[in-house]
Amino acid sequence: MALQEPPFSIGVEEEYLLVDRDSYALARAPDRLMEDCKAELEGQVSPEFLQCQIEIGTRVCANVAEARDDLKRLRATVSKHAATYGLTPIAASCHPFGDWKEQHHVDKDRYNDLKRDLAGVVRRMLICGMHVHVGIPDPDTRIDLVSQLSYFLPHLLALSGSSPFWQGDDTGLASYRLTVFDNLPRTGLPPQLSGWSEFERSVQALIDIGVIEDSSKIWWDLRPSSRFPTIESRICDVQPRLEHTVSLAALTQCLARMLWRLKAKNQRWRLYDNFLIAENRWRAQRYGISGGLIDFGIGEIVDFEQLLKDMLQLIEQDAEALGCMAEVEAAQSILTTGVSSDRQRAVYHDSLQADKPKEQALQDVVRHLIDEYHADL
């Protein structure tokens, strides 16, 4: 009996930082701003842990084209209402010169509990990410695809790095965000589980002990969603450019379908130990697309241009079936422009070369991020 193909519906969540339009410094979201956004966007917008953050989420979309339209509407609406209060959003995973010690968390029960439970670790969470949901109704299939898709998480991370600066310093990393996030418990690569029942037993063990309330407190790079019949990729830095968000979402969706297609033919992607995948995760975190990743099949570090070419060949049939060939092929443009961390560094170094002081060079980076946020709206 042939497997029934999942819908591979798609949803995207993004977190933004709010900055003052004049000083480019982080700014608290006024209560009225959140009320204005909620009045227009209803359940698609919410506060995040810190008062300088705001989160949006698309509807359940049948395809990437729908997701693009919804993201454009959400980004534009947040920008419009923020402007009323002299603010503007940026979609970068770290603010170039913001100081976490000067930020305050949102006074809500969930966030108060996080502050109490996670202590000083959660105070440093001045970071933003993007999450991609892909609809897979069958629970065991979700677990099976999570185990296999983990291999490609470093590839997605490498394309997404947008957090090179931390508290005014160049960290040398493409994604400094992960160094902060990985200090939380229950993060990192997902374990390889035998099926849905093992996942449920493991989660229930922590619930019964009283350590967590539900699976929403499991923050792996890739997980079965706690709320929806989806797999949820959480590996990527948030993207300043809307079109790059769309490409990453399309790649995630197509990779999931490619792996399901193998499963339908009684095949699967080879599973590698997390110890090995974590090495590629680090390389992506450190170098972005410039350092290459390890191809464990041939036992060599391979240039990212070749890796992306190979990936696009793997998912060509799936991109055609899902109607997102243009979006996955557009990922190649990132190889030309560089990931966001590369582009931010270029602005910073150009400003220093122009004899601007460091503080002004960092402000120029924020101005660049503002421009990129609005470029595709």
Side-chain angles (χ1 to χ4, degrees):
M1 181 177 177
L3 285 176
Q4 182 177 357
E5 182 167 346
F8 297 108
S9 55
I10 192 164
V12 180
E13 298 169 325
E14 293 187 311
E15 298 159 353
Y16 310 137
L17 294 168
L18 293 169
V19 301
D20 183 89
R21 293 177 67 90
D22 297 322
S23 69
Y24 304 117
L26 288 167
R28 172 185 171 274
D31 292 340
R32 188 64 183 271
L33 168 58
M34 289 304 307
E35 292 169 5
D36 293 344
C37 288
K38 287 180 178 179
E40 188 166 350
L41 301 175
E42 299 179 346
Q44 291 187 265
V45 65
S46 63
E48 245 300 320
F49 178 71
L50 294 176
Q51 294 175 352
C52 59
Q53 293 175 300
I54 189 167
E55 180 179 7
I56 59 88
T58 68
R59 303 183 179 100
V60 178
C61 299
N63 51 53
V64 169
E66 283 187 19
R68 173 193 282 109
D69 291 343
D70 209 16
L71 277 170
K72 184 177 291 189
R73 180 180 64 90
L74 292 165
R75 282 191 172 211
T77 302
V78 170
S79 179
K80 176 184 69 176
H81 290 302
T84 303
Y85 301 92
L87 308 178
T88 186
I90 60 172
S93 281
C94 291
H95 187 278
F97 60 88
D99 188 341
W100 61 267
K101 294 185 291 296
E102 297 175 357
Q103 309 308 313
H104 301 282
H105 78 285
V106 173
D107 186 16
K108 290 179 62 177
D109 288 344
R110 173 178 172 81
Y111 300 133
N112 291 335
D113 291 343
L114 283 175
K115 182 182 179 183
R116 182 196 66 236
D117 295 342
L118 300 175
V121 171
V122 79
R123 286 193 60 211
R124 297 177 65 244
M125 291 287 288
L126 185 55
I127 55 174
C128 294
M130 66 169 281
H131 306 161
V132 179
H133 291 259
V134 180
I136 311 286
D138 179 64
D140 280 316
T141 301
R142 291 204 292 273
I143 293 297
D144 192 25
L145 295 191
V146 162
S147 295
Q148 297 178 70
L149 187 56
S150 293
Y151 178 87
F152 296 97
L153 293 176
H155 302 68
L156 297 170
L157 175 61
L159 285 166
S160 77
S162 72
S163 48
F165 297 100
W166 181 251
Q167 297 196 111
D169 291 324
D170 186 340
T171 67
L173 275 65
S175 175
Y176 189 77
R177 159 185 154 262
L178 280 187
T179 71
V180 178
F181 195 74
D182 284 350
N183 283 286
L184 296 179
R186 302 177 295 280
T187 56
L189 295 166
Q192 294 177 6
L193 301 169
S194 61
W196 182 255
S197 59
E198 184 181 3
F199 173 71
E200 284 195 311
R201 284 196 304 272
S202 299
V203 172
Q204 194 61 46
L206 296 184
I207 293 174
D208 291 344
I209 296 167
V211 174
I212 59 175
E213 300 84 29
D214 53 51
S215 63
S216 68
K217 295 292 181 67
I218 294 172
W219 298 303
W220 298 330
D221 296 338
L222 179 66
R223 69 179 185 182
S225 171
S226 61
R227 295 183 294 161
F228 309 112
T230 66
I231 56 174
E232 178 187 5
S233 172
R234 304 162 53 84
I235 188 66
C236 291
D237 277 11
V238 69
Q239 297 302 287
R241 292 291 301 266
L242 169 63
E243 287 304 318
H244 292 165
T245 299
V246 172
S247 284
L248 287 164
L251 286 171
T252 305
Q253 182 191 37
C254 289
L255 286 167
R257 188 182 186 276
M258 181 271 292
L259 295 171
W260 175 86
R261 185 162 47 84
L262 289 179
K263 179 182 177 67
K265 295 187 291 186
N266 202 30
Q267 300 172 354
R268 63 187 295 109
W269 196 260
R270 178 176 174 181
L271 298 181
Y272 290 91
D273 192 276
N274 277 357
F275 171 74
L276 297 177
I277 299 175
E279 191 64 28
N280 267 345
R281 184 181 187 267
W282 160 248
R283 293 188 63 84
Q285 182 181 349
R286 169 67 176 86
Y287 301 111
I289 59 175
S290 66
L293 299 178
I294 304 167
D295 183 322
F296 294 107
I298 63 175
E300 294 178 5
I301 295 174
V302 177
D303 182 84
F304 199 86
E305 182 176 1
Q306 184 61 49
L307 290 172
L308 183 57
K309 180 180 178 180
D310 293 344
M311 187 191 303
L312 294 180
Q313 289 178 340
L314 275 174
I315 63 175
E316 181 178 6
Q317 176 179 334
D318 309 285
E320 289 178 354
L322 295 169
C324 59
M325 182 64 75
E327 287 80 4
V328 297
E329 289 184 340
Q332 296 175 100
S333 68
I334 301 176
L335 302 182
T336 303
T337 63
V339 296
S340 175
S341 59
D342 298 326
R343 302 194 301 275
Q344 290 180 52
R345 284 196 177 99
V347 171
Y348 179 68
H349 290 303
D350 285 349
S351 296
L352 292 180
Q353 288 292 318
D355 292 326
K356 294 183 180 181
K358 177 180 178 181
E359 293 76 12
Q360 190 172 346
L362 290 167
Q363 290 177 336
D364 287 345
V365 176
V366 180
R367 187 181 300 112
H368 156 79
L369 290 170
I370 293 170
D371 291 342
E372 288 214 331
Y373 179 98
H374 294 92
D376 300 319
L377 301 185

